[in-house]
Amino acid sequence: MGSASNKAQPGPPLWLLAELTYRCPLQCPYCSNPLDFANTDQELDTEAWINVLRQAREMGAAQLGFSGGEPLVRPDMPELIAEARGLGYYTNLITSGIGLTETKVEQFREAGLDHIQVSFQASDPELNNAVAGSRKAFEKKLAMTRAVREAGYPMVLNFVIHRHNIHQMDDIIRLCEELGADYVELATCQYYGWAFKNREGLMPSKAQLDTAEDRVQAHRRRLHEAGSAMKLIFVTPDYYEERPKACMNGWGSIFLTVAPDGTALPCHSARMLPIEFPNVRNQSLKSIWYDSPGFNHYRGDAWMPEPCRSCDEKDKDFGGCRCQAYLLTGNADNADPICSKSDHHDRVLAARRAADHATASLADLTYRNARNSRVIAKA
């Protein structure tokens, strides 16, 4: 594995993701939570989370995301939101909408929540509910999306795009217009966690992706011509790129995740790596961020092998994603295989070819639930 880098002292974490819980009423087969999440049952309590929020804010964190699992299963959300508001965070609740009520929306608004993002699985009830693993999910999401709008929040919707809903781009965008969306994130699957396990059944073909992008561009032009302020953000899957993304703007650079059990991570997927990460139960956030081996592991460029070490783009992409390198090559030190310069880029090309001929149905996917998680953990 790599060693601590030669980089100067990092700046403070600016973005804190509080993964409050891995519990969730839905079973989405592309969830980014760990495959063995069912073995994590010791969640931080309210007092511990408040301590985390205070420490991170003292260090300079300004953006705060409440995430999960489904954060709404936590009864202490109003208290955590109020504490965050008092500390001066800009707060975002990332939710499926399941468990949300008009009363809770009002409670959160009064507590000072700045932003709510609601996710959908598809543009129609049947597919949405099949992917979510819940027969009432779609209607609940519609109702809560309208409640969020009526409470005065900006309407921010998220659709995870994969081969089973990518054909719905026109319908998805029309639904967003009907709901009065301000921002729509059309986020094609990125293959970590459960999405990586289900990659062969989720990854769209190149033809599907090209058609979807063309439709999004057409709608952007139409919306502009109509004077609509709705913004469409289409996120291309890494597997169809030739250069890696600057993952988290660099390892341990601006982004800090705290998992439900208190494990501190440089990104929400990093706990899969064979690296020991510290826990906020027994170490201060400041010490974790600046001094821990886990957070210093891939800072700078001293850890980089070739072709990254001599690449003139290494200060732009930082070698790409360590989790992706680990998943695709078994060694997180390697160049991100998304990069065409990587010795392992052929694995990405093979995944693209497989997507052109994939025939998996929704029934073939492994759904994210506690039973499947325990089976996977024992394997």
Side-chain angles (χ1 to χ4, degrees):
M1 297 297 291
S3 60
S5 76
N6 60 357
K7 187 179 181 181
Q9 181 91 333
L14 302 179
W15 220 109
L16 172 64
L17 182 67
E19 288 189 316
L20 300 178
T21 182
Y22 287 144
R23 291 174 288 158
C24 183
L26 302 186
Q27 303 182 54
C28 305
Y30 46 71
C31 182
S32 63
N33 286 168
L35 293 174
D36 62 352
F37 75 86
N39 289 342
T40 304
D41 57 2
Q42 297 295 319
E43 294 178 4
L44 296 180
D45 60 20
T46 306
E47 182 179 356
W49 273 116
I50 287 176
N51 188 34
V52 167
L53 300 185
R54 290 174 178 172
Q55 288 186 63
R57 187 74 184 101
E58 288 174 2
M59 293 170 65
Q63 299 274 343
L64 170 62
F66 291 114
S67 177
E70 175 48 69
L72 293 175
V73 304
R74 296 271 309 208
D76 54 0
M77 280 300 305
E79 186 175 352
L80 295 177
I81 291 167
E83 178 68 23
R85 165 50 66 93
L87 291 169
Y89 282 103
Y90 182 89
T91 52
N92 181 23
L93 172 63
I94 304 165
T95 177
S96 68
I98 308 302
L100 196 60
T101 64
E102 292 180 3
T103 298
K104 286 183 179 180
V105 172
E106 182 59 23
Q107 286 178 335
F108 297 164
R109 189 187 65 80
E110 291 180 354
L113 183 66
D114 293 298
H115 189 279
I116 300 177
Q117 176 182 296
V118 180
S119 65
F120 280 78
Q121 282 71 34
S123 60
D124 68 282
E126 183 177 1
L127 182 56
N128 186 99
N129 296 347
V131 173
S134 170
R135 289 177 294 178
K136 299 181 180 180
F138 188 76
E139 293 304 321
K140 180 66 174 177
K141 289 170 180 289
L142 287 181
M144 288 304 100
T145 298
R146 294 182 177 114
V148 168
R149 164 62 82 187
E150 290 172 5
Y153 284 104
M155 177 63 68
V156 182
L157 304 180
N158 172 271
F159 288 77
V160 176
I161 305 299
H162 46 82
R163 69 179 302 113
H164 301 287
N165 68 359
I166 197 167
H167 64 283
Q168 294 188 334
M169 206 58 64
D170 292 329
D171 292 335
I172 287 172
I173 293 170
R174 277 193 289 268
L175 173 63
C176 294
E177 288 184 272
E178 292 171 5
L179 293 172
D182 297 296
Y183 299 93
V184 180
E185 183 177 28
L186 304 162
T188 51
C189 261
Q190 305 292 352
Y191 298 101
Y192 306 94
W194 293 81
F196 185 78
K197 183 171 183 59
N198 288 305
R199 189 186 71 195
E200 291 184 8
L202 291 173
M203 188 168 165
S205 68
K206 183 62 163 61
Q208 287 178 308
L209 184 67
D210 288 345
T211 298
E213 287 188 293
D214 287 344
R215 296 310 305 148
V216 172
Q217 283 294 90
H219 282 288
R220 283 175 177 154
R221 291 190 295 269
R222 179 181 60 79
L223 291 168
H224 176 73
E225 291 169 0
S228 172
M230 189 171 84
K231 304 297 183 185
L232 301 178
I233 303 165
F234 188 84
V235 182
T236 303
D238 287 2
Y239 278 59
Y240 286 104
E241 301 285 359
E242 296 300 317
R243 289 290 182 271
K245 62 180 180 292
C247 189
M248 299 300 165
N249 203 46
W251 179 279
S253 174
I254 63 172
F255 192 88
L256 170 63
T257 294
V258 177
D261 63 353
T263 302
L265 302 163
C267 78
H268 60 275
S269 295
R271 71 185 306 158
M272 77 172 75
L273 300 176
I275 297 173
E276 184 175 350
F277 290 105
N279 194 292
V280 300
R281 298 178 191 269
N282 46 45
Q283 193 171 346
S284 73
L285 272 189
K286 185 174 182 180
S287 174
I288 287 171
W289 181 258
Y290 290 107
D291 304 323
S292 69
F295 273 78
N296 280 298
H297 206 92
Y298 290 115
R299 281 178 170 147
D301 58 20
W303 62 271
M304 290 183 180
E306 294 296 347
C308 297
R309 182 180 292 273
S310 58
C311 180
D312 58 6
E313 297 181 56
K314 67 181 180 182
D315 293 330
K316 297 178 181 178
D317 60 35
F318 312 107
C321 178
R322 298 303 87 223
C323 298
Q324 203 149 247
Y326 181 71
L327 285 169
L328 287 171
T329 75
N331 185 347
D333 289 8
N334 286 331
D336 188 336
I338 298 304
C339 185
S340 61
K341 299 179 183 180
S342 165
D343 292 339
H344 301 94
H345 188 60
D346 62 309
R347 302 183 187 188
V348 173
L349 299 180
R352 293 180 194 173
R353 290 192 295 270
D356 285 336
H357 305 287
T359 58
S361 69
L362 287 176
D364 297 318
L365 302 178
T366 301
Y367 284 78
R368 178 240 193 250
N369 56 51
R371 182 180 62 82
N372 285 338
S373 177
R374 293 189 183 98
V375 169
I376 292 167
K378 291 179 181 178

